């Protein structure tokens, strides 16, 4: 069953999830630093705040670490190029097929 995760799959899922989230948050931090260095007027500061708010919402909505959601998330992350097929090594063939299908139809 696809909703059933073995202990080893849970470890793989957690590793892939945490690495992708950390990488995306690192990108946000880099972008914030770049934008902050260009702040000249209050409107620039408000634009930076809006960027942060928008990215936080996007990331909070995307990264859902429930086993019932990981297959969908991993399909999306594959599509975005945030993870690679090799990151999924060790997951069941059924999970990998579903993830690739999600990537293909998204």
């Amino acid at each position: 069953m696809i909703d059933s995760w073995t202990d080893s799959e849970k470890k793989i899922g957690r590793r892939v999830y945490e690495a992708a989230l950390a990488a995306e948050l690192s990108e946000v931090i880099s972008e914030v630093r770049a934008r902050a260095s260009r702040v000249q007027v209050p409107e620039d500061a408000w634009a930076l705040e809006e960027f942060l708010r928008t990215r936080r919402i996007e990331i909070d909505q995307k990264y859902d670490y429930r086993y019932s959601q990981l297959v969908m998330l991993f399909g999306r992350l594959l599509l975005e190029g945030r993870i690679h097929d090799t990151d999924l090594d060790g997951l069941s063939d059924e999970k990998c097929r579903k993830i690739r299908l999600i990537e293909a139809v998204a």
Side-chain angles (χ1 to χ4, degrees):
M1 176 174 204
I2 198 158
D3 292 329
S4 177
W5 289 69
T6 66
D7 287 341
S8 63
E9 287 179 322
K10 288 177 181 179
K11 289 176 185 170
I12 293 164
R14 176 58 75 179
R15 178 182 43 78
V16 171
Y17 175 93
E18 293 292 339
L21 177 58
E24 191 155 354
L25 291 174
S26 180
E27 290 172 12
V28 170
I29 290 167
S30 294
E31 181 64 22
V32 167
R33 286 184 178 137
R35 288 177 182 228
S37 72
R38 296 188 303 265
V39 171
Q40 299 292 319
V41 295
E43 290 78 17
D44 297 338
W46 307 143
L48 177 58
E49 186 270 339
E50 177 65 25
F51 167 78
L52 276 168
R53 183 178 334 113
T54 300
R55 290 298 289 138
R56 181 176 184 171
I57 291 168
E58 291 169 355
I59 289 170
D60 285 349
Q61 289 174 348
K62 182 192 310 187
Y63 287 89
D64 183 349
Y65 190 81
R66 289 181 289 170
Y67 296 116
S68 62
Q69 300 300 307
L70 285 181
V71 168
M72 292 289 290
L73 173 62
F74 291 166
R76 180 176 179 181
L77 294 174
L78 269 176
L79 180 66
E80 293 176 359
R82 296 194 174 278
I83 65 172
H84 306 284
D85 282 333
T86 56
D87 295 324
L88 305 174
D89 288 348
L91 296 183
S92 71
D93 290 341
E94 182 183 1
K95 284 182 184 74
C96 289
R97 276 194 299 275
K98 277 279 216 195
I99 291 166
R100 289 183 188 100
L101 179 63
I102 291 164
E103 175 198 20
V105 297

